[in-house]
Amino acid sequence: MKIKPQQLNTQLANKLDTIYFVFGAEILLIEQSLTQINKAAKQAEFDEQVSFEIDANFDWNQIFGEISAASLFSPKRIIKCRLKTGKISIKGAKALAEIASTLPDDILLIVSTGKLDMAQQKSKWFKTLEQFGSVVQYFEVQSNHLVGWIANHMAKLELEANTEIAQSIAFCTEGNLTASMQEIQKLKMAYPNGKINTQEYLEQANQQSKYTVYGLIDAALFGNSNQVNKIYQTLISDMAMPIQLSSSLYREIKSVIEMSIELKQVKDINTVLQNHRVLNKRKPVITNALKRHPYQRLQKLLLSLGRIDRSIKGMDNLNVIDELHTLLLSLAGKTQWAQ
């Protein structure tokens, strides 16, 4: 059966199922659930475990063999299966359905994977896991819920409520829950008594954010080409930078395009910003971008970014470092695109 993430702890306290299937868009939340399940399993004396990484070529006989083999150390065992994708082979789908429907009581099966499309959620193997076990799905934490999510986790670590700081973390981490959690943990280390010096933290976060991918994008959106050049040079040595910058730019430009389309209808920029839940500290940045760039120019930037992304993946031959720099300067307004 499907259970909501917030119901998992209660369900584990009342009864440990023989199967748990956790999947979705947020890796951090999935890992937290797996930790909860492991803790409950240990309390139920499941002391031995074996893990499998499963792809389309996986030999499912390994799991059948593990189930049929007697343990020398513990009568209760855990079998963990991490599906690299939801696209498992026909043979694998049949095997997983058979395992789930015939699992003995002394085996706890824990399956996890990332996002699944609707066709995968209607597959026989998925339905079998749902029939014989507990299924927990995590949806992506939307930007309008992120500040609340951060505030809740701050409270769990006994950090005092502070909306300004939660907004700052949400802005700096741009929806990355793992990065958000790391920032919250840093806060706890810096302020162990839970009382945060707001001004001190915001000043420090402001300084750090200027030299990140997000600070770079905001400099471009605001039209500050000198700052773009300065930050870009500090980040250029990071091998992972092009991938992160490309994906973040895509989300940001796409969002600005949506706001640009809405602005043509609504005619009031403050209403548009409010509808898209733009944080107060970012309103001048987004406002500037909307005023400087017509819809058509933003679309051309997005198309250019698509080719850059293909080059990152080896499907095109652009010089990614130079092209990203040029695109950022175009977004900053230094190079005018033909309209």
Side-chain angles (χ1 to χ4, degrees), residues 101-281:
S101 59
T102 60
L103 198 69
D105 292 339
D106 60 351
I107 299 287
L108 171 62
L109 178 66
I110 303 175
V111 183
S112 63
T113 192
K115 289 175 69 174
L116 297 177
D117 59 33
M118 288 310 298
Q120 290 163 338
Q121 293 183 46
K122 291 178 181 178
S123 64
K124 184 178 179 180
W125 66 265
F126 184 99
K127 293 295 184 184
T128 306
L129 289 175
E130 189 176 33
Q131 179 184 352
F132 291 97
S134 294
V135 177
V136 185
Q137 179 178 8
Y138 281 102
F139 296 96
E140 187 174 356
V141 176
Q142 299 299 316
S143 57
N144 55 319
H145 293 144
L146 182 59
V147 173
W149 184 90
I150 291 170
N152 287 338
H153 279 73
M154 286 173 63
K156 286 180 182 178
L157 290 182
E158 298 181 346
L159 291 163
E160 64 184 359
N162 193 310
T163 304
E164 269 191 288
I165 288 177
Q167 285 182 336
S168 177
I169 292 173
F171 167 69
C172 292
T173 59
E174 205 183 60
N176 185 317
L177 294 193
T178 303
S180 297
M181 182 57 78
Q182 288 172 346
E183 286 301 312
I184 295 168
Q185 289 167 344
K186 286 179 188 175
L187 266 178
K188 182 61 177 177
M189 291 174 66
Y191 305 99
N193 64 355
K195 297 186 181 299
I196 305 167
N197 185 323
T198 303
Q199 185 177 353
E200 179 185 70
Y201 175 81
L202 292 178
E203 286 177 359
Q204 184 181 22
N206 232 9
Q207 190 62 30
Q208 289 175 346
S209 69
K210 288 179 182 178
Y211 295 95
T212 66
V213 162
Y214 312 121
L216 176 60
I217 293 172
D218 273 5
L221 288 170
F222 197 67
N224 190 338
S225 58
N226 290 332
Q227 186 73 349
V228 166
N229 286 329
K230 185 177 180 180
I231 299 174
Y232 199 77
Q233 291 306 313
T234 66
L235 300 178
I236 204 169
S237 60
D238 184 354
M239 296 295 289
M241 184 273 285
I243 299 172
Q244 185 186 10
L245 178 58
S246 176
S247 61
S248 298
L249 264 172
Y250 181 85
R251 288 195 302 271
E252 199 65 54
I253 294 174
K254 194 168 184 296
S255 177
V256 175
I257 286 173
E258 290 171 358
M259 285 186 260
S260 180
I261 293 170
E262 188 175 326
L263 186 58
K264 287 184 178 180
Q265 301 168 336
V266 176
K267 305 296 183 184
D268 179 44
I269 199 163
N270 288 322
T271 301
V272 172
L273 295 174
Q274 185 175 351
N275 289 344
H276 288 262
R277 299 181 184 274
V278 177
L279 299 176
N280 288 334
K281 68 186 295 183

Side-chain angles (χ1 to χ4, degrees), residues 18-20 49-55 57-71 77-84 88-89 91-104 106-112 125 129:
T18 54
I19 299 172
Y20 285 92
Q49 60 179 264
V50 61
S51 300
F52 297 98
E53 295 280 327
I54 296 173
D55 57 20
N57 300 314
F58 179 74
D59 179 8
W60 288 86
N61 287 325
Q62 293 182 61
I63 297 181
F64 284 111
E66 185 63 35
I67 291 172
S68 60
S71 172
R77 290 172 291 152
I78 302 171
I79 295 178
K80 293 183 178 179
C81 299
R82 191 180 77 84
L83 310 181
K84 291 185 177 179
I88 57 179
S89 64
K91 184 179 178 181
K94 288 180 179 178
L96 187 53
E98 182 181 345
I99 289 166
S101 59
T102 60
L103 198 69
D106 60 351
I107 299 287
L108 171 62
L109 178 66
I110 303 175
V111 183
S112 63
W125 66 265
L129 289 175

Side-chain angles (χ1 to χ4, degrees), residues 1-12 20-23 33 36 134-139:
M1 64 176 177
K2 279 190 176 180
I3 61 173
K4 294 179 180 179
Q6 58 268 31
Q7 296 173 327
L8 180 59
N9 258 340
T10 303
Q11 195 260 16
L12 289 169
Y20 285 92
F21 178 34
V22 188
F23 75 99
S33 283
Q36 289 175 274
S134 294
V135 177
V136 185
Q137 179 178 8
Y138 281 102
F139 296 96

